[in-house]
Each structure stands twice: as C-alpha cells, then as structure tokens.
Amino acid sequence: MLRPFAVGFLALASVALIAGHLAAEPADPAPAAATGTQHAIAIHGRPRHPDGFTAFDYVNPQAPKGGRAVIGVLGTYDSLNPLIVKGSPAAGLRDFVFETLLTRGLDEPFTLYGLIAERIEVADDRSAITFHLDSRARFSDGHAIDADDVLFSWKVLRDFGRPNHRSYYKKVRQALRLSNRVVRFDLEPGDRELPLILGLMPVLPAHLVSEASFQQTSLAAPVGSGPYKVAVVDPGRSLVYARDPDYWGRDLPANRGRFNFDEVRFDYYRDDAAMFEALKSGAIGLRPEEDPARWAEGYGIDAVSAGRLKKSAFQIGLPAGMTALVFNTRRKVFADARVRRALIEMFDFAFINQSLFHGLYSRTQSYFERSDLSSAGRAADDREKALLAPFLAEVRPEVLAGTHTFPTGDGTGRNRDNQRAAFELLRSAGYAMRGGDLVHTATGEPLAFEMLAASAAQERLFLVYARDLEKLGIKVRIRVVDSAQYQSRIKTYDYDMMQWRWPSSLSPGNEQLFRFSSEVARRDGSFNFAGVESKAVDAMIAAMLAAKESEEFVSAVRALDRVLLSGDYVIPLFHLEKQWVAHWADLVPPEATSLFGYQLDTWWHAEAATTTGAGTR
C-alpha cells in the first residue's frame, strides 16, 4: 500500500527488448474517456468514488503546502533500487518517487483509481485489462511516459524483479502495444485480482534503464514520475526527498490533499532507543509506536505535558494480521509438528503481556485477526467445508469447528499446566530428559535452536520465552544481529526461529502466494519464512483468487486461515486495537483517518504558510 529506481542505471534500454512487443502501431484510439472505459476498478462490487470525484474522503483538499517532515528509520540502506532482492533499499522510494499505473483508494478494501493510466477497460471475466495512459504523465526528467515504458517495466519485473513481481507478472499471457498510450494485458483465467495487481505495477523509464542495469543496486538519484525527487543521499545515514514543483500529477483527484511537505527526510538509526531519544529531542518529527511499555511510561516529558509532542491513537479498519515467532520448518529441529505445538504451549502470553507490555496487547488467534475474515470463534460454513473436504487430514477438528484457541498461560510466570502439555507432546515426538537436557531418544541429539533477533525489544521477548523453555531442558541461543545482516539472513532463510509480521488487508490476494505457497517455499527472497509446503494451502489460495462474489471470497480466506492455523507454523503473538503515533504538533493529520490508518502523505506542516523549515519545537 505504499514505489524506485535508478539513474545510476544510465544504460539505455535495449531496443530489441521493446521491439519484441511492437506490432505495426495503429493510430491512437478514441479518447480515453470513450465508451467502455472506466475510471476505477474494485476487487468486489463498485468503486466508492464515482467518475469525476474531486478527492478522497480521508484527505484535506485545502491542506497547505510547505515545511519539512523528518522521519526516523531503524536500520540502514545501501541501494536506491527496491525492486530486486539484492541490497537493502532506502525508505520512501516506492511512496514518493516511482508511481504505478493506478493508485489505491484507502477508504475501501481494494479499489484502484487512475494515476499514470487515467482510464482502463476490463473484460467481464477479468481475463484482460487495457490501460489508457494519461497524456500528461511525465518522468521527472520531462520524458513522456508511453506504452514502451509500461511494457519494459512489466518484462524486467517479470524476469528479474523481486519474487512477488515474478510470480504475479508471469501470469500475463500476452502484452500488446495498441498505440503509443494504450497497452493491453491478456491474463491467465481464474485470478480476478490479477488486473488490480497489474494496476499496481511501478513504471520505470525505459530510456534510462536496461535489463542489466535493472539488476544492480545503485546509490545514484533515481528518475521516476512521482511527486518527489531524491535530493540528498547520505548512504546508510539519511535520504532527503524534495517535492517536484513540476510534478505532472499534482492536480489529479487521487492526489489532491496529498504530498504536502516540501521536503521529507528519513534519518537512519542503528537502535530503537537512539531513535526514540531523537523523537524526544525534536530531531525527528514522527514515530509510530508499537511498544506498550514505552507508550505507557516512556513519554513522561515536558513536551508531552505542554502539548508540543502529541500521543495520537488512530482508528484502523484493517485486520491486525499475524505477528508471530516463526518456525523455519526447513530445519530438522522443527520438522515434527508435535515439537512446534509443544513450543506453542510453552509461550506464556498472559505473563509476558503483563510483565513486558502493561497488559495492553490482545492475543492473536488468526492470520486475519480483528476482521470478518478470521476463522477464530466461527464454525466452518458449507462453502468452507466443501473447499476443505479433500484436505481434512490437514485441518484439525477443533479448528474446523472454530473452538480452537492458543494457550494464554495462567499469568503467574510458572505456566505448569502448559509445561505438562508441552512435555507430553515432546515425549510423543521421541524426546526424553537426560541429565537436565531434553534429547531425542533415537538420535541422542538435544532439542536446541537459535532465535534470530534484530532489536532490543525482540531480544527482551526472546529471553523471557527462552527461560521458560530451559525449564524443559530445551537449549535456546539468542543471536542479535544488525539490520543489514538480519535482512541478508532472512532472505536466504538462515535462521531457526525469528519474529515476523504479515500484515493483512480486507482483500488478501496474490500476496498470499508470496507468503505461503509451495512454489516459493525454497526460493530466496520470498515471505514464506515458515517454509510452508502444503497442497491444502495452495488450493485455498487458488480458491480465494478465483472467488467472484464476496461470500465465496470470505469463505475461501477463512478456509486458508484454518489450514495455516492447523499447520502450527508460527507461535502467534499479539496485536494492538489502535494505531499509536507520537508526533510533534507542527505535523498535522487530517480529521478523517483512512481505513488503512494514518498516512503521512496526507499530513501537512502547521507553519507551511509562513516557513519552509521544520518549525520551532
């Protein structure tokens, strides 16, 4: 929901690459608003905003332009190319520099409106989508965006992009250049989301990028078509975006009230504590907060009391998703589901929530927590039962019945009932106590594994959990690494257990392939961190993507939820009911909040009318 790329990539695009898509070019078709075209597309039902709408409901169309926002980022970066697996890309590129064909309306589950493509045509069965490009669309170097750019972008992302792009775009059966400003994609049948996925394709400058240069990291300022240009690059330390005064799309309905700051700066911090101190000192202007302990106790400073530093809690309409400790089932230690289930039993949620998080978290029970898509507490309906019938061996009865819950513990920190249940599971998996260690009776190997952490907060959580596991003779090593090493290791699945969050929307779709399908389980760079390889999961994702009506879709998502829960691939953690953001008072949000929560691009600077600086704090 959030787009980059490269002019260190100065090699010209191969003429042959584009020419392979070109037929004799017909005359330009009728104007984009001709009969049969539409301004938007929704995954289900009709778009909320009619043709001719002036702005989204969650923006202030009269928001003043000016000022600066400074945002803290944990970690580092070594690339301005976020579209390949190689390197650690800088924050903000896909938001501010590179645009997509269509843009998302954030007050609906999944609806796209015109951006680079001002109009679209969609086949009734969604087997094809045609994009009519806006004649005003320009890259920041003034070069007009045309069909060749679109076709080039599709091909290099399909062949050399990140695994999710490769997976999505290879489903295109044929890409046709109908004119200089019209491109049609013919699609594989059975995937109603795919036209929308194509609509979210970033468009790259074919006159500046080649196949070879696309595959390389670069720290040269990229050329895109978005509202900002990269102004200052300080590798690994900061990145500054300056609003483009010549931005072609500033008056589009989808952009009114957005991109209000003259400058957006991202400052990088090696640890979370330093970034928090930067917020309190005024060095950065905004910080999303997910640590209940800090939210409850860490903001006792004069700036908060005086109202200069605000603690805002925003409503959010999205599912909470799944934050969890992830088992790497590719590793032998976690190959047995009974071992995984025992370790789930050992997680003392009640004690951890109270002792570390002031009791402010809720326990997560579903991959689609906090939404109607969750299977938790609901018995499977007839549509779900029909979908799951061939795979009942992969769905536990209590999960099918909706009665399954993850253990919470008794809150005492001793967790004895859960320890007994866990030990019985481990004994059935062939483990026994020997000299204070839990070892496998057949191999003599101890039950031991490493937990990979990327922050002090993760380390603190892991330590509490590891102490409980040691009571059963399980040996746990906690390895804390820096951001660059962490990213490198998780891309190649070089861990036993790690913490991850899979966010969710109200219209989950192709991203589930990238997270849980068998196809990507052994492919570096996917988000299938658990190594899920399940025919049932693959079938439920396929059913979800093929669903035409809302009822079918909801049943397919719940069925997927049930299979994933039954597989014991993760130890579900917890979620917050609202979105917490600490921000200085000179950064002002609109009155309305989108379904997706707060959006920085809709905020503005309180002193924008009189200053271009960050204001006095």
Side-chain angles (χ1 to χ4, degrees):
M1 41 178 281
L2 299 179
R3 276 164 230 322
F5 202 49
V7 171
F9 308 172
L10 284 176
L12 293 178
S14 165
V15 173
L17 175 65
I18 298 174
H21 298 289
L22 304 184
E25 182 178 324
D28 274 358
T35 302
T37 68
Q38 57 198 64
H39 74 295
I41 179 174
I43 186 67
H44 297 113
R46 295 176 179 272
R48 172 173 178 165
H49 300 282
D51 202 354
F53 80 104
T54 58
F56 291 128
D57 293 341
Y58 52 86
V59 306
N60 173 8
Q62 284 76 47
K65 306 290 185 183
R68 178 177 64 162
V70 183
I71 311 300
V73 182
L74 191 63
T76 187
Y77 73 93
D78 59 15
S79 173
L80 300 186
N81 178 3
L83 298 174
I84 57 174
V85 172
K86 185 178 179 181
S88 297
L93 290 162
R94 304 236 12 226
D95 300 283
F96 299 134
V97 175
F98 273 83
E99 293 184 307
T100 50
L101 288 163
L102 305 174
T103 190
R104 196 161 190 162
L106 300 183
D107 47 2
E108 303 165 78
F110 194 5
T111 300
L112 304 182
Y113 294 86
L115 189 58
I116 290 174
E118 61 179 344
R119 309 288 298 187
I120 56 174
E121 296 174 73
V122 186
D124 289 342
D125 63 357
R126 298 200 174 180
S127 62
I129 183 168
T130 301
F131 296 98
H132 295 259
L133 307 185
D134 194 316
S135 61
R136 299 166 292 179
R138 295 284 188 279
F139 292 109
S140 60
D141 64 356
H143 194 283
I145 300 176
D146 60 21
D148 294 341
D149 297 304
V150 175
L151 291 170
F152 170 79
S153 302
W154 163 70
K155 187 174 188 303
V156 295
L157 289 166
R158 181 198 65 185
D159 295 344
F160 307 110
R162 294 186 66 84
N164 56 326
H165 286 140
R166 297 186 197 191
S167 175
Y168 299 154
Y169 299 156
K170 74 179 183 181
K171 293 184 178 184
V172 174
R173 301 171 64 184
Q174 181 177 228
L176 297 173
R177 184 190 199 280
L178 302 185
S179 81
N180 194 46
R181 291 195 294 110
V182 182
V183 178
R184 189 180 83 212
F185 292 97
D186 295 334
L187 313 174
E188 289 184 0
D191 185 345
R192 292 182 57 80
E193 188 190 35
L194 192 54
L196 286 83
I197 295 296
L198 264 294
L200 290 177
M201 183 177 72
V203 178
L204 311 176
H207 64 292
L208 295 176
V209 184
S210 70
E211 281 189 0
S213 63
F214 173 81
Q215 299 175 64
Q216 303 302 315
T217 61
S218 173
L219 287 171
V223 167
S225 62
Y228 289 83
K229 297 180 181 181
V230 172
V232 181
V233 179
D234 187 357
R237 295 170 60 89
S238 66
L239 191 73
V240 178
Y241 298 95
R243 192 154 53 87
D244 184 355
D246 299 319
Y247 172 48
W248 74 273
R250 60 183 176 272
D251 295 323
L252 295 178
N255 285 338
R256 289 198 183 105
R258 301 174 63 201
F259 311 118
N260 302 312
F261 299 107
D262 281 344
E263 183 179 289
V264 179
R265 175 184 175 121
F266 289 92
D267 283 346
Y268 283 77
Y269 294 84
R270 293 289 180 167
D271 67 75
D272 193 56
M275 190 164 69
F276 181 55
E277 292 303 316
L279 173 75
K280 293 195 294 184
S281 71
I284 62 176
L286 177 147
R287 171 191 168 90
E289 185 59 77
E290 296 185 352
D291 184 343
R294 182 181 287 130
W295 191 252
E297 296 182 337
Y299 289 85
I301 60 176
D302 291 343
V304 174
S305 302
R308 299 195 311 276
L309 180 60
K310 295 181 175 293
K311 294 172 63 181
S312 297
F314 295 100
Q315 294 287 348
I316 183 167
L318 294 182
M322 174 63 77
T323 300
L325 304 182
V326 183
F327 298 108
N328 186 354
T329 62
R330 304 169 188 85
R331 297 288 174 93
K332 181 180 177 181
V333 65
F334 295 139
D336 192 321
R338 291 169 295 185
V339 172
R340 303 197 299 271
R341 201 168 305 157
L343 295 181
I344 292 171
E345 287 285 341
M346 287 297 295
F347 189 81
D348 192 346
F349 168 75
F351 176 75
I352 289 173
N353 188 34
Q354 191 59 49
S355 60
L356 296 184
F357 307 120
H358 294 259
L360 295 175
Y361 273 131
S362 299
R363 184 73 194 265
T364 297
Q365 301 286 348
S366 165
Y367 284 78
F368 306 96
E369 181 66 55
R370 200 180 59 194
S371 79
D372 194 47
L373 300 175
S374 169
S375 68
R378 296 182 174 96
D381 61 27
D382 290 341
R383 287 182 296 269
E384 291 179 73
K385 290 177 181 177
L387 288 171
L388 294 168
F391 309 102
L392 288 181
E394 293 192 48
V395 186
R396 299 212 300 272
E398 64 271 25
V399 177
L400 192 67
T403 59
H404 171 268
T405 58
F406 288 99
T408 60
D410 59 13
T412 66
R414 293 184 292 274
N415 208 19
R416 289 174 180 168
D417 290 343
N418 297 72
Q419 289 175 20
R420 282 192 289 269
F423 188 76
E424 288 303 314
L425 285 164
L426 291 167
R427 189 165 63 175
S428 71
Y431 286 91
M433 293 292 292
R434 289 182 182 172
D437 293 335
L438 193 69
V439 300
H440 198 278
T441 55
T443 66
E445 293 182 3
L447 181 53
F449 60 92
E450 180 181 276
M451 301 181 74
L452 185 66
S455 69
Q458 288 184 357
E459 182 184 21
R460 186 169 67 248
L461 171 65
F462 293 178
L463 284 169
V464 176
Y465 181 48
R467 282 197 291 268
D468 275 349
L469 295 181
E470 288 171 359
K471 296 172 184 176
L472 287 186
I474 300 170
K475 303 300 182 184
V476 180
R477 301 178 305 278
I478 298 173
R479 177 70 59 85
V480 184
V481 298
D482 63 28
S483 176
Q485 187 178 355
Y486 186 80
Q487 292 299 322
S488 175
R489 288 186 62 172
I490 67 172
K491 283 179 182 177
T492 57
Y493 315 118
D494 183 16
Y495 52 84
D496 296 330
M497 180 183 284
M498 47 87 85
Q499 182 176 335
W500 189 254
R501 177 175 181 262
W502 289 284
S504 180
S505 73
L506 291 168
S507 57
N510 275 279
E511 79 283 353
Q512 304 301 312
L513 292 168
F514 192 55
R515 297 174 179 184
F516 304 119
S517 73
S518 302
E519 182 180 0
V520 302
R522 306 280 171 174
R523 185 188 302 168
D524 286 357
S526 85
F527 288 174
N528 189 345
F529 294 115
V532 177
E533 294 184 79
S534 162
K535 291 182 179 179
V537 168
D538 296 340
M540 296 311 105
I541 295 174
M544 179 182 68
L545 295 178
K548 295 182 179 180
E549 303 299 331
S550 178
E551 294 80 4
E552 292 177 89
F553 176 76
V554 170
S555 293
V557 177
R558 289 179 184 170
L560 171 63
D561 193 30
R562 295 184 201 277
V563 178
L564 290 171
L565 293 172
S566 297
D568 294 311
Y569 299 110
V570 303
I571 303 174
L573 295 179
F574 23 64
H575 63 277
L576 299 172
E577 297 297 334
K578 290 187 177 181
Q579 196 175 38
W580 295 336
V581 179
H583 61 96
W584 287 88
D586 52 12
L587 301 184
V588 184
E591 290 186 8
T593 303
S594 82
L595 193 65
F596 288 65
Y598 91 97
Q599 302 294 316
L600 179 64
D601 61 46
T602 67
W603 292 37
W604 63 89
H605 201 286
E607 301 178 6
T610 59
T611 180
T612 58
T616 300
R617 291 176 179 161

